[in-house]
Amino acid sequence: MTEKKRKKSDTIVTEQQKPAPNADYRRAPYNLEAEKALLGALFINNDALSYIGDFLKAEHFILPLHGEIFSLISRAIALNKVADPVILKEPLEALKIDDINGFAYAVQLASEATSVSNVLDYARTIYDLFMRRCLILVGEEITETAYNVSLGLSAPQQIEKAEQKLYSLAEIGKTNTGFDHFTTALHKAMEMANAAVSYTHLRAHETREDL
């Protein structure tokens, strides 16, 4: 039995996100289906942007092509123009990823869209996963700094800088409604950072007393 033929768009995504063979690899969280469903829904009902335009941005999409399409839709609607693949054909054709034409891809997204009722949920999912990727990057930076003793930063200084980064992410999350689960996770991380600072100061005090 022959394997079912994959769509070109699926091939692009899987090839770009494929981990190296036998690598110790954990994939950054994303949901391409939510991104495609949201863009398709916006094409068939431009009014849906009013529910998500205050917090969702192009940079929140994992696939650059999706972010560029979202930007085209947003700009057209801001100019009181209809945002569908036909009206946006020229700028969409300028968007390409490998051998996929942006216009053909947009037509596919619109044709596969079934409902706009879940647009807010799609947008929240995309945003939440973006914030999680940001948290992963902060974590990696914290780890790299902790290993690099040549930077000359003491452990309490590193913890303070880490807390500032986590606090900044938490504040971004709080500006939008519906992201309590992510903000809670960040606050827990900040509490752990505070506990680490307190523990470090306590151990330093005990060490001085022992001298």
Side-chain angles (χ1 to χ4, degrees):
M1 182 181 295
T2 59
E3 183 181 357
K4 185 178 179 181
K5 188 177 180 181
R6 294 185 298 177
K7 297 176 184 177
K8 285 186 177 181
S9 58
D10 294 334
T11 302
I12 289 173
V13 170
T14 54
E15 290 301 319
Q16 287 191 338
Q17 305 296 338
K18 187 187 298 181
N22 302 321
D24 183 11
Y25 177 86
R26 284 197 298 176
R27 188 182 67 183
Y30 64 87
N31 189 327
L32 287 169
E33 294 306 316
E35 293 187 6
K36 292 192 285 187
L38 181 137
L39 294 174
L42 291 178
F43 274 134
I44 64 174
N45 187 341
N46 292 175
D47 292 340
L49 184 67
S50 63
Y51 298 105
I52 62 174
D54 61 334
F55 69 87
L56 193 66
K57 309 299 177 186
E59 59 267 25
H60 298 156
F61 292 80
I62 186 68
L63 197 64
L65 178 61
H66 288 169
E68 293 180 41
I69 292 174
F70 181 78
S71 291
L72 286 177
I73 294 172
S74 300
R75 288 198 297 267
I77 294 174
L79 295 173
N80 294 318
K81 295 181 178 179
V82 174
D84 66 21
V86 175
I87 299 297
L88 299 177
K89 181 178 180 180
E90 185 175 345
L92 283 169
E93 285 183 332
L95 303 180
K96 289 188 177 181
I97 178 169
D98 292 344
D99 60 341
I100 295 295
N101 177 280
F103 170 68
Y105 186 64
V107 170
Q108 176 187 318
L109 292 176
S111 65
E112 293 178 351
T114 57
S115 172
V116 299
S117 60
N118 296 325
V119 163
L120 185 56
D121 288 330
Y122 294 148
R124 285 174 171 170
T125 296
I126 294 167
Y127 180 87
D128 181 77
L129 293 174
F130 165 77
M131 292 292 286
R132 290 176 184 274
R133 294 194 296 273
C134 289
L135 182 56
I136 290 170
L137 291 176
V138 170
E140 290 175 346
E141 183 179 340
I142 291 170
T143 302
E144 181 65 25
T145 301
Y147 273 110
N148 193 346
V149 294
S150 64
L151 292 177
L153 291 174
S154 67
Q157 288 174 324
Q158 291 182 41
I159 292 170
E160 184 177 355
K161 288 176 69 69
E163 184 181 16
Q164 290 171 354
K165 292 178 182 295
L166 291 170
Y167 180 79
S168 296
L169 274 180
E171 287 300 300
I172 294 173
K174 285 197 303 183
T175 59
N176 303 295
T177 58
F179 303 104
D180 293 340
H181 55 297
F182 179 78
T183 304
T184 298
L186 281 175
H187 280 305
K188 287 181 179 179
M190 290 169 60
E191 289 173 1
M192 292 175 65
N194 280 324
V197 171
S198 299
Y199 176 78
T200 301
H201 287 316
L202 176 62
R203 294 299 299 155
H205 178 71
E206 291 176 347
T207 301
R208 285 195 297 271
E209 288 186 342
D210 291 338
L211 293 178

